[in-house]
Every structure is written in C-alpha cells, then in structure tokens.
Amino acid sequence: MSRPSTHASNTASGSLWMYIVGFVISIALTVGALWLVLARQFSTGTLLTVILLLAILQIGVQMFFFMHITDSPRPQFNLWILGLGMFFTFVVIAGSVWIMSFGAQGY
Amino acid sequence: MSTFLPHFPATFIVTGDPLIYGAEVSIVLATVGILFVLTYFKKWRWLWREWLTTVDHKKISVMYLIAALLMFFRGGVDAMLMRTQLIRPNMSFLQAEHYNQIFTTHGTIMILFMAMPFIFAMFNIAVPLQIGARDVAFPYLNAVSFWLFFFAALLFNLSFVVGGSPDAGWVSYPPLAGLEFDRGPGENFYLLSLQITGIGSIATGINFMATILKMRAPGMTLMRMPLFSWSVLASSILIIFAFPALTVALALLLIDRLAGAHFFTMFQGGNPMMYINLFWIWGHPEVYIVILPAFGIFSEVVSTFSGKRIFGYSSMVASLMTISVISYVLWVHHFFTMGAGPGVNSFFAVATMCVGIPTGVKVFNWLFTMYRGRIRLTVPMLWAIAFIPIFAIGGATGVMLAAAPADYQYHNSFFLIAHFHQVLIGGTVFGMLAGMYYWWPKMFGYMLNERLGRWAFWLFNSGFYVTFFPQYLLGLMGMTRRMYTYPANMGWNTLNFISTMGAYVMGIGFIVLVMDVVYSIRFGERDVTGDPWNGRTLEWSLPSPAPHYNFARIPTVTSRDAWWTSKQERSRSDAPRKLEPLQPIHMPKSSGRPFIMSAIFFIGGFGLVFNWYALGFLALLGVLVSMLLRSLEYDTDYYVPVEEIEQTEAALGRA
Ligand code: HEM
Ligand SMILES: [Cu+2]
C-alpha cells in the first residue's frame, strides 16, 4: 500500500534550524519596514520602493524556509498553485493602487 | 498603570431592554440545565473523551453542523425581529440603536458563524470519505480550526449580554466603526471574534487543499474526483488567498481602536476607503467560498437522484476553477459608488458580468443531467431543483447591479438586499440543507424523515419568494437598506407587510426542519446498508456511520463514480471478490490541546475587548506555550491492530 499513514509525520529535525533562521529573518524584515516608516529617513517615493523590495524579499524567505520550495520531487500542481498565488498577490497590490489613486493616473 | 488593571465600563452587563433581560435569564437557565444534565447523567468524561478532544473529521463535522444550526437559529431570530419592526410604518417595536445592533449581528452571524461552519460540516463529512482517505491531512489542525470557530462564535454572541452588540453593520466600515463614532466595546467584539474565527478558516482551507491534493486513494486522479471534492478544492483556494485580506483589515482597524493609530481615521493621514477596499478583497471571494461547495453538493445530489453520471464533468471542473480565479478580481463592484473613476468601475463591471458565464455553464449541466434521467424527488433533490430558478434570478439581478452606472441607483437599496439573499439563501442555504439531508444518514446512521422534510422545504421555499420579491420592488421604489422605520406615505406599506409575512413562513419552515431532526432522532429509519440513496461515490461504500478509521482497506479507484462502477461490476460477476489481508492502520491520537488553546484565545479576546491588556498578553503567552508544547510532542499517533479492525468490521456486518 502506498499510503499507510493518515497524516504528515514529524519532519526530520534538521529542518528545525531552517525554521528558526527563517523566522528570525522574517521578523527582521518586518521590523525593518516598520522602522523605516517611523524613522522617516527617505522621501516617500524611495520609502515605498524600499518597503516593496523588503516585502518581495519576505515572500522569497517564506517560500524558501517554510514552504520548502526547493524540495524535490515537485508535483506539477505546486507550480500551478504558486503561479496562482503570484497572480493573486499582483492583483491585490496593483488593483488596490489603481483603485485608491482615484483616477489620478488617467486611464 | 491604570490601563493594566481591569476596568469595568458602566454598561458591562447590558441592561434596559426586556428582550435582553429575557435572553440573560434564558442563557443562565440553559447553562444551569446543561451543567445539571451532564453531571446527573455522569457525562463529563464522555463529553471530554468523545467530543472535546476528538480529531476525527466525522465528529468534527457533527459539531460544526450543530453549531451552524444553532447560529442559523440565532440569526433567524434577528431576522424575524427586523421584519417585525418593518411590518408597518412608524413601528416602535425596536429602537433605532437596537435595530442597528440586530442587522449587524444578523449579517455577521449568518455569513461567518452560520454559512462558514455549515460548509465546513460538509467539507468534513464528505471529502475524506469521497476521496478514500482515513482522515484529513492534518487532523489536529482540523480540531484547532473547529474550536477557534467555536470560541469565536461564543465571544461574538456574548456581546449581546456583556458589553453590548456591535452596531456598525456586518461590513463595519470606518469611520463609523472607528473610535470617533463608536466607543463601545461592541465593535471590539466584532473585530476580535472575526479575527479568531478567521485563523480557523485559513487553517481549514490549507487542510482541505492538502487533503485533496495529497490523500486521494490510489487510482483516483484529479479528473476522477467527485465534483463536491473539486468544489471544496476551489473554495479552499479562495479561502487561502482571500482571508488574509480580512485579517489585515481587521487587525489595522483594531490597532486604530486599541492603540490609537490612524490607518482608517479621517484625519492624520488615515484613509477609511482603504478598509473598504481590503474588506471586499476578502468579501467578494467570501460569497464564492460559501457558494462553490453548494454547487458541489448540487452536482452530487442531481447526479445521484437522476441515476446518471453528471453531464459535462470536465466543463464542471473547468467552470469551478474559472469561477474561483475570476471571483478574485470583482471586489470593486461592492463600492462602485466610492467613485474610483470610470476606468476602475468599467473594468470591474465587465469582470463581474463575466462570472455569469461559467455559472451558466454549471446550470445547464445540471439541467442536462436531469434531462431523461430517472428522477427521484427526495428532499435533497427538491432543494437542488428549487435552487435553479432562484439562482437564475439572483444571477440576473446580480448582473443588473454589476452595471456600474445603474448601481448608483440600486446600491444599498432593498434591491441589493433582495439580490444577495436570493443567492445566499437560494444558493448556499438550499445547498447546505440539501447536503444535510443527503449526508445525514452517513453522519448519524439514520435518515431524516422525508415527510416533515417536504413540509419544511415547501414552507421555506414558498416563504422565500414571498419575502424577497417584494423587496426588489421596494428597492426600486427607493427604500434603502438598514432603515429602522419608514413614514406611512411612501407607498411601501403593503409590500413590507407581504415581505414580513413571507419571513414568518420561512420561520415556520425552519421550525419544521428542527422538528424533523428531533423526530428522526427518535423514529428515523435506520440506515443499515450504508448506501440508502443508491449513491455513486465512495462515501456510500462504507457503513453508516463509518468506523473511526473509515476504510479498513483503502480502495483502488478505476473510474469516476467509483462506487457506482464497483456496484455494476459486482452485479455482473458472482466470482467472490478477493480481499487483500488487513494491515494495521495508522491513526492520530486525540488531544485536548486544541480545545484548551482556543479557550485561551477566547479569554485573551475577551480581555482585549475591554482593553484589559494584561489579560490579553497573558493569553497570548498561553497560546504560545500551547503551540510550543505541541511542537515538542512526539507521541501523536498510534496503530489500530488488525484484530481490532476485524472485530469492528465484523460488528458492522462487513467481511
Ligand atoms: C452572477 C453572479 C453575481 C453577480 C453578477 C453579482 C453582483 C453583485 C453586485 C454588483 C453587488 C453589489 C451591489 C451593490 O452594493 O450595489 C452584489 C452584492 C452582493 N452579492 Fe452578489 N453577485 C452575484 C452572485 C452572488 C453570489 C453567488 C453571492 C453569495 C452566495 C452573492 C452575495 C452578495 C452579497 C452578500 C452582496 C452584498 C453585500 C453587502 O453589501 O452587504 N452574490 N452582487
Ligand atoms: Cu461581490
């Protein structure tokens, strides 16, 4: 029988460090973004760009450390779901910017 | 340090209204009654061992179902109160403030504490059994989800008697819901309970996505999977991607209210419109989260009771998936009137109309499945058939609303109210009731009474038309939503009266439904075969209710409608089936921690509602400790020995 187990068994303890490192980096990226806003060192445009970069970095960190994106073998639907996630993220961000600028950008 | 000491607001226990006094007395009486019965019949141990600590998806399903029906009752009483207030002009049955609270709790409860647990009850009972699995992918997490929902519902309902109910609408828009206009703790109850139940919902979405993608029986390719499971996959995808937006919106509003931030305030650079945007990024997908599983149930029911394979299976799958993607890019149609500009409004208007296409495909497929089928008009089938005309009209009025310029007229009128009740009741509620009647024997081992079920159906269905059709007209005549009374000379009197009468009929229908349940507990026909409907999918191959490990041997699937195929094969050959030897079954252990951790969530949420930060942080610590303890726990599973499986199967009359 190919699937005797009904639920995921405990993963190898080697990945424990991955989780801790990933967690610390995530926290650092989040606190960093907050700090940048509170410190007001940059102009608004630069600030937005930097925060956006930090957010993208955060996605990468979570994918790598928590979602095991590099684990193989990778079933095909993983790619599909990942693509869908990227699409939805794009829609939310680009859509919100478009909506909340109230026509300022001209159509 | 005064903020760290409990500070009781003057209105800690709500007073002053006879309805609320009544509720307080009955809550105390009911609690005492339950405690007495449990103690008298020595049921505490049983309750703890069999239910509060269970991680079995079938028991979790039962608990979700009971909770959903109770919340349906509470939301229904709210509805009756509102309709009574509107029965005639200038009524003073409810005061304005009380009316505000009631429509807020009605909407919130119906969507988050009725529809959501109801679909989760169906997810839990059907998905693992349909795909040939022994439980969900993460049984422990499943229990966490349920208890988070349960305690969140408790927290929300508590606001009725302690602190005061929220009153800014189920959408809770700032600035109305912000501190400037709404100081009371009611709004905090809303924010915190939704936050807690939202965590549970996201976990459920992840759980079922993993279950469906990873735990199907050998041979069950995705394209052989029953359509209900497909619909759960589509719904789970939406849950995973939509609920985080709600989490963010609620969290920011909470920070505004508790910590004095300015995300959504009017001044200091805040922007309340951003809340509206975030809320509907969740809110629109949410209505599809609750409708897609109903679509799945209709597919199962229609094909079973037409005695035919579903027509156009692949197009059904394709339309489910298309809907779940498109429904993510429609959210602006809930606030066209905010005025984001013609570019934005046109884009979202056209996208909204597009979602009608895959929905239409599904409706035609159901009709073609019934065409020339041998139709059995059982109660689940009645709900499914009645759904079609209601949903067609609801979809059509939806497309009317989606025409952005016209929506400036319809928006927030009773026309809108009629539209979304049409799709939510005719779609989700009818679907869940169909599913409840359909899977009830699988959950409990006996059937619901068909005669009473028919009565409930006809009352509810006809009451529905009488309630909501006048509301379309009222909307066109200018009656707006959320008005607690209206003057006598508007020409709205008759239609409102009719609508209220319809609501009462629906109320009676619900009572008959409850009578059916109570009657059948005692007199319901036992389901001894496990396949009372002559079903087509794997859940009907098991005894009712299924043993805790579901499948003694995991089946090998060779086609769609797997159980139907194997029944046909068996009737064709009398050669005895050769069975593989049994093997020990790997199962998860029960755990009390999901219950305890969620109770701690409840305590912390309650603390934050009243700005008792010490209690809030203490509870947060408790939650972290529970999670840590779980991470360090290794003794989480066990094997059911072969002898025990043999005994259980023999007792169930199975070889
Ligand atoms: C063809 C399908 C549909 C279309 C075109 C459609 C369109 C719309 C539009 C344009 C609105 C906003 C109107 C306004 O606020 O002025 C709306 C509101 C709403 N719709 Fe639909 N809809 C469809 C199906 C559904 C379904 C399937 C559900 C739920 C199961 C649903 C639930 C709701 C709810 C709850 C609201 C109002 C929320 C509120 O303001 O409180 N709709 N719909
Ligand atoms: Cu919508």
Side-chain angles (χ1 to χ4, degrees):
Chain A
M1 213 159 43
S2 61
R3 197 182 295 101
S5 154
T6 55
H7 57 130
S9 48
N10 298 312
T11 37
S13 59
S15 60
L16 182 64
W17 277 107
M18 291 273 282
Y19 290 127
I20 295 178
V21 171
F23 187 64
V24 171
I25 301 183
S26 303
I27 297 273
L29 286 171
T30 311
V31 174
L34 183 66
W35 181 78
L36 282 176
V37 176
L38 293 178
R40 290 178 194 269
Q41 293 295 322
F42 299 119
S43 67
T44 312
T46 327
L47 189 62
L48 284 179
T49 323
V50 175
I51 293 182
L52 211 62
L53 283 178
L54 289 183
I56 293 171
L57 217 62
Q58 173 95 264
I59 295 181
V61 168
Q62 306 239 339
M63 288 289 169
F64 180 76
F65 288 98
F66 303 139
M67 313 283 213
H68 305 277
I69 198 70
T70 46
D71 276 13
S72 50
R74 174 189 308 166
Q76 215 197 351
F77 55 73
N78 266 10
L79 270 180
W80 276 97
I81 300 281
L82 194 65
L84 201 62
M86 295 287 178
F87 171 71
F88 284 156
T89 316
F90 172 78
V91 165
V92 167
I93 296 171
S96 298
V97 170
W98 189 30
I99 294 158
M100 297 309 294
S101 58
F102 288 91
Q105 79 290 356
Y107 354 92
Chain B
M1 292 297 283
S2 67
T3 50
F4 282 87
L5 294 173
H7 156 264
F8 288 87
T11 55
F12 187 67
I13 302 285
V14 182
T15 50
D17 189 299
L19 283 170
I20 293 183
Y21 285 130
E24 280 162 358
V25 173
S26 49
I27 288 173
V28 173
L29 287 181
T31 315
V32 173
I34 293 170
L35 295 183
F36 176 77
V37 169
L38 284 173
T39 314
Y40 187 80
F41 291 104
K42 301 201 170 60
K43 288 290 187 191
W44 283 105
R45 267 189 91 73
W46 166 82
L47 185 69
W48 178 256
R49 293 236 315 250
E50 295 290 314
W51 295 98
L52 303 190
T53 60
T54 187
V55 294
D56 180 344
H57 69 100
K58 299 177 288 299
K59 288 189 175 164
I60 290 178
S61 161
V62 169
M63 295 192 288
Y64 268 125
L65 182 68
I66 295 172
L69 289 173
L70 283 175
M71 287 295 100
F72 198 8
F73 176 73
R74 155 91 212 254
V77 170
D78 284 346
M80 294 302 129
L81 293 176
M82 284 188 290
R83 274 324 309 175
T84 305
Q85 165 66 17
L86 294 179
I87 192 169
R88 274 163 19 88
N90 300 317
M91 284 277 285
S92 50
F93 173 63
L94 299 174
Q95 299 312 310
E97 175 53 24
H98 197 178
Y99 191 85
N100 292 350
Q101 294 177 350
I102 292 187
F103 69 65
T104 302
T105 54
H106 167 76
T108 312
I109 285 181
M110 283 302 198
I111 299 270
L112 285 141
F113 299 123
M114 186 283 284
M116 292 303 282
F118 220 141
I119 67 168
F120 291 158
M122 300 296 138
F123 283 24
N124 271 290
I125 190 59
V127 170
L129 301 183
Q130 278 197 328
I131 64 174
R134 288 195 168 125
D135 206 318
V136 294
F138 311 111
Y140 176 90
L141 188 66
N142 201 19
V144 172
S145 290
F146 172 76
W147 289 111
L148 284 176
F149 148 75
F150 177 87
F151 280 105
L154 203 63
L155 186 63
F156 188 83
N157 281 281
L158 198 64
S159 69
F160 186 52
V161 287
V162 179
S165 301
D167 55 2
W170 85 278
V171 294
S172 183
Y173 286 167
L176 182 60
L179 262 193
E180 311 94 310
F181 295 106
D182 203 328
R183 297 211 62 87
E187 220 32 54
N188 296 349
F189 271 113
Y190 169 97
L191 293 169
L192 284 153
S193 59
L194 262 58
Q195 198 67 278
I196 294 174
T197 193
I199 302 172
S201 300
I202 294 180
T204 303
I206 293 172
N207 215 337
F208 277 86
M209 177 141 124
T211 307
I212 292 172
L213 291 180
K214 301 293 270 187
M215 311 231 339
R216 279 165 288 127
M220 180 170 285
T221 56
L222 279 175
M223 289 312 272
R224 284 181 188 157
M225 199 164 68
L227 278 172
F228 178 70
S229 294
W230 264 110
S231 74
V232 172
L233 180 62
S235 179
S236 299
I237 292 176
L238 279 176
I239 290 178
I240 294 172
F241 290 113
F243 264 79
L246 178 71
T247 306
V248 171
L250 296 175
L252 296 183
L253 186 53
L254 192 70
I255 294 173
D256 272 8
R257 289 184 59 90
L258 292 186
H262 291 280
F263 291 109
F264 304 133
T265 56
M266 299 288 282
F267 305 107
Q268 322 270 359
N271 187 348
M273 287 183 276
M274 192 60 193
Y275 174 91
I276 300 181
N277 181 55
L278 285 172
F279 184 89
W280 287 113
I281 287 177
W282 163 77
H284 184 78
E286 167 65 11
V287 305
Y288 279 87
I289 289 167
V290 296
I291 195 75
L292 292 179
F295 287 175
I297 290 174
F298 292 131
S299 299
E300 303 290 333
V301 166
V302 165
S303 119
T304 302
F305 296 110
S306 305
K308 279 172 67 185
R309 295 193 328 171
I310 195 85
F311 183 90
Y313 175 92
S314 331
S315 65
M316 285 299 222
V317 171
S319 55
L320 276 174
M321 286 299 148
T322 324
I323 291 177
S324 69
V325 175
I326 299 187
S327 68
Y328 207 78
V329 290
L330 309 181
W331 74 92
V332 174
H333 69 215
H334 293 275
F335 51 91
F336 283 142
T337 51
M338 198 164 92
V344 172
N345 278 6
S346 332
F347 174 85
F348 284 92
V350 173
T352 303
M353 293 174 191
C354 289
V355 87
I357 300 170
T359 318
V361 170
K362 300 193 75 72
V363 171
F364 282 113
N365 282 338
W366 289 314
L367 292 176
F368 285 131
T369 307
M370 284 188 258
Y371 179 66
R372 297 225 164 143
R374 190 170 293 163
I375 294 183
R376 286 177 285 157
L377 276 184
T378 56
V379 173
M381 188 64 172
L382 284 177
W383 289 110
I385 293 178
F387 146 82
I388 291 178
I390 295 190
F391 201 79
I393 302 169
T397 54
V399 174
M400 289 172 72
L401 288 163
D407 186 56
Y408 274 68
Q409 290 297 319
Y410 306 133
H411 183 57
N412 279 351
S413 73
F414 259 81
F415 190 89
L416 164 72
I417 303 293
H419 155 71
F420 73 70
H421 283 90
Q422 186 119 26
V423 278
L424 278 171
I425 297 180
T428 303
V429 175
F430 279 26
M432 293 308 122
L433 292 177
M436 182 178 102
Y437 271 85
Y438 184 60
W439 281 311
W440 190 278
K442 195 47 65 190
M443 293 172 90
F444 297 100
Y446 59 86
M447 321 273 292
L448 285 175
N449 183 278
E450 287 271 309
R451 222 174 109 82
L452 281 168
R454 270 204 195 92
W455 272 99
F457 165 77
W458 281 111
L459 285 165
F460 203 83
N461 186 48
S462 38
F464 175 83
Y465 283 91
V466 180
T467 312
F468 290 104
F469 275 78
Q471 294 188 6
Y472 280 121
L473 301 177
L474 283 169
L476 295 178
M477 290 161 78
M479 181 162 167
T480 55
R481 74 193 290 192
R482 295 176 181 156
M483 45 194 319
Y484 89 104
T485 191
Y486 51 93
N489 59 358
M490 302 296 291
W492 301 342
N493 303 0
T494 321
L495 287 172
N496 268 308
F497 182 80
I498 297 175
S499 179
T500 300
M501 289 302 128
Y504 291 159
V505 176
M506 290 176 81
I508 298 171
F510 182 76
I511 293 175
V512 177
L513 192 89
V514 174
M515 279 165 55
D516 192 356
V517 171
V518 175
Y519 174 88
S520 307
I521 289 177
R522 186 124 175 64
F523 303 108
E525 188 189 328
R526 300 285 122 188
D527 168 22
V528 285
T529 61
D531 187 12
W533 308 115
N534 196 6
R536 310 176 73 83
T537 41
L538 282 178
E539 72 267 34
W540 305 112
S541 69
L542 294 170
S544 299
H548 66 104
Y549 48 76
N550 295 353
F551 295 90
R553 298 175 184 80
I554 296 285
T556 302
V557 176
T558 53
S559 67
R560 256 174 231 162
D561 290 351
W563 173 234
W564 186 259
T565 319
S566 73
K567 279 194 283 193
Q568 306 252 270
E569 275 165 10
R570 245 178 256 180
S571 68
R572 249 179 263 131
S573 77
D574 355 277
R577 290 176 303 144
K578 41 184 199 311
L579 292 172
E580 284 172 40
L582 287 169
Q583 289 185 353
I585 296 176
H586 189 198
M587 293 298 287
K589 277 190 177 164
S590 307
S591 168
R593 203 171 295 113
F595 179 84
I596 295 170
M597 187 173 87
S598 309
I600 301 176
F601 257 104
F602 171 83
I603 295 170
F606 188 76
L608 287 186
V609 164
F610 293 98
N611 295 40
W612 299 341
Y613 296 110
L615 191 58
F617 286 123
L618 225 71
L620 192 64
L621 207 67
V623 169
L624 288 177
V625 170
S626 323
M627 296 205 289
L628 198 69
L629 286 177
R630 170 66 183 179
S631 313
L632 300 176
E633 185 175 61
Y634 291 99
D635 181 24
T636 55
D637 41 273
Y638 69 107
Y639 280 90
V640 187
V642 170
E643 304 84 72
E644 192 188 320
I645 307 171
E646 274 167 355
Q647 279 166 16
T648 317
E649 292 291 303
L652 291 165
R654 307 261 162 155

